Amino acid sequence: MSPAELTATVEKLIAEIERLIPACMENPEDRDNSLGNVTLMIVAESGQIFGRMFGDDKVRRRGTCRVAWQKATQVWMTGHATGRYEELVYAKKLDPARFGINHPDFIGWDGGLPVVAKDGTKLAVAMSGFSGATDCRIIREAVAKVPGLAMAEG
């Protein structure tokens, strides 16, 4: 995927995610998780970074950005969803040494997912601020609406 195509595709994904956020803010459990502050982070396999922070509390947004960054980079490095990666390591089905992530650095929370474009370009997409289940649901719903993108195995 050319850089321009990558940017256009990611911008569509960000727009779809942005459309889904207000409905999630209506759920008190999700809204109150980070007091309405949410971050989306996307890392392309080439290392290009995209993202957006939502909310009005800079301190809270910084916190959600740190977690979204950790989720996205873990998916980028491993190719596995957050939470699932840890399950595979602890079940001794995956050797963490090959990824360079030490056990204390595992994120462990859901919310980071591998996505693939029709040409094979890999994206690590992560959110933080809602519950992990909601973060994942938003990503999956948005990916389904962007032509040429699909959820990847992992």
Side-chain angles (χ1 to χ4, degrees):
M1 182 178 293
S2 74
E5 291 169 322
L6 175 62
T7 298
T9 299
V10 168
E11 286 177 356
K12 289 176 188 173
L13 180 59
I14 291 170
E16 289 298 336
I17 288 171
E18 192 168 7
R19 272 192 270 284
L20 296 168
I21 288 175
C24 296
M25 290 291 185
E26 293 175 13
N27 177 346
E29 183 180 321
D30 279 319
R31 180 191 60 237
D32 297 346
N33 191 46
S34 289
L35 302 177
N37 296 276
V38 178
T39 297
L40 165 67
M41 186 70 61
I42 301 168
V43 181
E45 67 182 311
S46 64
Q48 192 169 0
I49 300 166
F50 303 88
R52 178 131 338 129
M53 293 187 282
F54 305 91
D56 55 12
D57 183 329
K58 286 183 179 181
V59 173
R60 291 269 181 186
R61 284 190 307 187
R62 181 175 187 255
T64 62
C65 187
R66 181 187 53 78
V67 174
W69 167 255
Q70 192 171 1
K71 289 178 182 181
T73 55
Q74 181 172 303
V75 173
W76 174 69
M77 293 173 72
T78 68
H80 294 280
T82 57
R84 180 68 181 139
Y85 171 74
E86 291 79 357
E87 289 173 8
L88 293 169
V89 169
Y90 290 125
K92 307 258 188 255
K93 295 180 179 178
L94 199 58
D95 178 7
R98 67 184 249 225
F99 301 107
I101 300 174
N102 298 320
H103 283 64
D105 296 325
F106 290 176
I107 187 67
W109 297 318
D110 291 334
L113 297 169
V115 174
V116 65
K118 65 182 173 185
D119 74 346
T121 301
K122 296 175 185 175
L123 301 172
V125 182
M127 290 186 67
S128 180
F130 295 128
S131 69
T134 299
D135 291 337
C136 289
R137 181 178 53 78
I138 291 171
I139 294 166
R140 286 185 181 106
E141 287 181 21
V143 166
K145 293 181 180 182
V146 178
L149 289 184
M151 299 307 302
E153 296 281 326

